[in-house]
Amino acid sequence: MIPIIWIILIILAAIVLIEFIYYFNKFVILGNRIDNSLAQIDVQLKRRADLVPNLISTVKGYVKHESAMINKVTEARKALLAAKDITSKVKAGNQLQTALKSIFALAEQYPNLKANENFLQLQQELAAIEDKVAYSRQFYNDSILDYNNSVQSFPGNLFAGIYGRKQKEFLKIPEESRILPKVKF
Amino acid sequence: MEKISFYEQISRNKRNSFILIAIIFLVLAALGYIIARLNQSYFFIIMIVSIIISISYVLIGYYNSDKIALASVNAKPAPKEYRQYYNSVEGLTLASGLPMPKLYIMENQQINAFATGRDPKNSVICVTTGALERLNKQELEGVLAHELSHISNYDIRFMTLTAILVGMIAIISEIFLRSLWFKGDRKGKGGALLLIIGIAFAIIAPIAVKLVQLAISRKREYAADASAVKFTRYPPGLINALKKIDGDKPIKASKITSSLFISDPLKKNLDNLMSTHPPIKMRIQALKAM
């Protein structure tokens, strides 16, 4: 006969082991999700930068005396491509978007440009990318929230300490927000 | 708290799908057993054949239910020209971390949509052309986010399986019953056998349809509305879409697949207790409270 105390000890040890594995995997999964959503922001910003040369060559055909504005866009694109970490990338992405907006505002004065098929398509595509950047930032912050919740709440905080997992920072740069109309009920 | 219930929802949908498949298999096998008992001399052959049929029925149902559902509403893959449709879904997949579903359209003036498939990797969203033409961007995103929530919590697996596996039995039995009606004057052992199967089907068919309606709980719609807002962060989009849907006329859809849509395409307002969808007014109220 094995004494009952041994059985209890073995069960307890098994539970502790399972918890260790569970939390290890949980942190890995949530951490990977953050990395992945970060990569998604990057992909969208890259796509925005890739569309810019095409846009500029289209605009240049119609707009002659606005080279300052066009230079601003080119500069912003260069800054975005040169940016290293995510914070500066998102910041540069915001600046590029602002510069692009002034181009689109400018197009209001050039009916021929506004009617250009290629221009319209680029405008639509860039607007969609703006939404996608906002959505992927939202998911990035959601992922950080999930991760932080699991790192800070009990008993996750004990395991986080053992595995050396720390809280992560949210992206705090002002939202490049999706344009949402105000609605009254 | 909300997270836990979300994962519970997923595992409940998976478990229910498994139970459903098991029950369907057992019902079909039991039917085969009854037939085999009446034909003692071929007992084993009939039994083997019926088990093979039952297995293929549930397997084909599991892997093709989405295709059957899409075919039954005459949906076709959405051309890339629907840029807004593609862009909205791509944006929402980024917001939800889901893989990109396949996009379909069905020619119809009513505003409606449904999602189907067996898991997020094998999922489909289908909207009516009416929805694409008559909803603005925010409203369309609200509707698409609702469908994506059905995908993310595996509602699509259980809902489609229920609609197809149970629905097909109902359809087959209806066809069978009708054919029985026309050649009702057969005599002898074969006639008696057909009669018994006919009676069995006559009992099963309406029960099956009721099961579809009951199993697809109306709570799912509220839950999907709530997580749709979590994705878009913009309740007025879905609210306005629902308002537009509310003003629409009913369309022709089979009883079976109607449970898949964002709002009941048949619009049976009176049949409240048994209907598959909560009233739109209640859903709007719940959304406004968010």
Side-chain angles (χ1 to χ4, degrees), chain B residues 162-163 166-167 207-216 255-256 259 276:
Chain B
T162 315
V166 183
I207 295 175
V209 175
K210 279 269 143 51
L211 273 178
V212 175
Q213 292 170 337
L214 285 176
I216 296 177
K255 251 191 229 166
I256 305 299
S259 54
T276 50

Side-chain angles (χ1 to χ4, degrees), chain A residues 143-154:
Chain A
S143 309
I144 297 229
L145 180 67
D146 280 349
Y147 176 86
N148 282 352
N149 281 344
S150 69
V151 166
Q152 283 175 285
S153 59
F154 183 82

Side-chain angles (χ1 to χ4, degrees), chain A residues 131-132 135 138 142 178 181, chain B residues 90 137 141 231-232 234:
Chain A
D131 278 355
K132 285 171 193 169
Y135 274 134
Q138 180 184 312
D142 283 352
R178 285 181 295 135
Chain B
E90 277 164 21
K137 189 181 144 216
E141 287 200 350
F231 294 154
T232 63
Y234 190 66

Side-chain angles (χ1 to χ4, degrees), chain B residues 217-288:
Chain B
S217 146
R218 302 190 279 161
K219 269 188 203 153
R220 280 168 208 275
E221 297 305 321
Y222 287 115
D225 284 348
S227 31
V229 170
K230 202 191 139 222
F231 294 154
T232 63
R233 307 275 152 99
Y234 190 66
L238 185 54
I239 290 175
N240 290 335
L242 285 173
K243 276 182 186 161
K244 279 190 185 169
I245 291 171
D246 203 22
D248 258 357
K249 291 183 181 68
I251 52 170
K252 265 178 80 180
S254 79
K255 251 191 229 166
I256 305 299
T257 44
S258 69
S259 54
L260 294 176
F261 285 89
I262 183 171
S263 84
D264 189 355
L266 306 170
K267 304 226 167 203
K268 291 168 299 184
N269 283 328
L270 296 173
D271 201 2
N272 222 326
L273 203 76
M274 289 314 290
S275 63
T276 50
H277 288 74
I280 286 185
K281 299 217 162 43
M282 305 273 285
R283 286 168 69 181
I284 292 177
Q285 260 172 29
L287 280 168
K288 277 185 183 169

Side-chain angles (χ1 to χ4, degrees), chain A residues 33 40 44 47 124-125 127-128 131-133 135-136 138-139 142 146 178-183 185, chain B residues 3 7 83 87 90-92 94-97 137-138 141 230-234 236 239-240 243 288:
Chain A
R33 206 204 284 169
Q40 288 300 337
Q44 297 306 328
R47 283 183 53 200
Q124 199 188 5
E125 213 49 42
D131 278 355
K132 285 171 193 169
V133 170
Y135 274 134
S136 43
Q138 180 184 312
F139 186 60
D142 283 352
D146 280 349
R178 285 181 295 135
I179 313 130
L180 296 174
K182 292 255 182 302
V183 182
F185 293 112
Chain B
K3 267 274 165 287
Y7 288 117
R83 284 312 308 156
N87 278 332
E90 277 164 21
L92 289 165
L94 289 172
S96 56
K137 189 181 144 216
Q138 281 77 31
E141 287 200 350
K230 202 191 139 222
F231 294 154
T232 63
R233 307 275 152 99
Y234 190 66
I239 290 175
N240 290 335
K243 276 182 186 161
K288 277 185 183 169

Side-chain angles (χ1 to χ4, degrees), chain A residues 91-123:
Chain A
K91 252 185 202 154
N94 279 359
Q95 266 152 18
L96 177 54
Q97 186 60 29
T98 319
L100 285 172
K101 278 208 177 107
S102 60
I103 295 265
F104 292 130
L106 183 71
E108 295 297 321
Q109 298 161 27
Y110 296 84
N112 287 338
L113 174 59
K114 245 180 85 180
N116 182 299
E117 191 72 23
N118 197 20
F119 179 77
L120 283 176
Q121 215 175 346
L122 284 167
Q123 190 174 18

Side-chain angles (χ1 to χ4, degrees), chain B residues 102-177:
Chain B
K102 288 193 212 72
L103 302 187
Y104 276 68
I105 50 166
M106 57 186 280
E107 293 283 340
N108 202 301
Q109 270 312 296
Q110 200 196 39
I111 298 170
N112 226 325
F114 69 92
T116 181
R118 59 179 185 275
D119 52 35
K121 279 194 186 112
N122 297 284
S123 60
V124 178
I125 287 181
C126 177
V127 299
T128 59
T129 46
L132 292 175
E133 284 156 18
R134 289 162 53 207
L135 294 179
N136 69 27
K137 189 181 144 216
Q138 281 77 31
E139 293 161 353
L140 182 66
E141 287 200 350
V143 168
L144 294 172
H146 172 99
E147 298 309 332
L148 271 178
S149 344
H150 277 316
I151 291 176
S152 74
N153 60 21
Y154 282 75
D155 274 349
I156 47 164
R157 177 185 289 186
F158 184 60
M159 287 163 78
T160 315
L161 274 177
T162 315
I164 299 305
L165 286 183
V166 183
M168 289 288 273
I169 290 189
I171 291 169
I172 292 170
S173 57
E174 262 170 34
I175 294 168
F176 188 85
L177 274 180

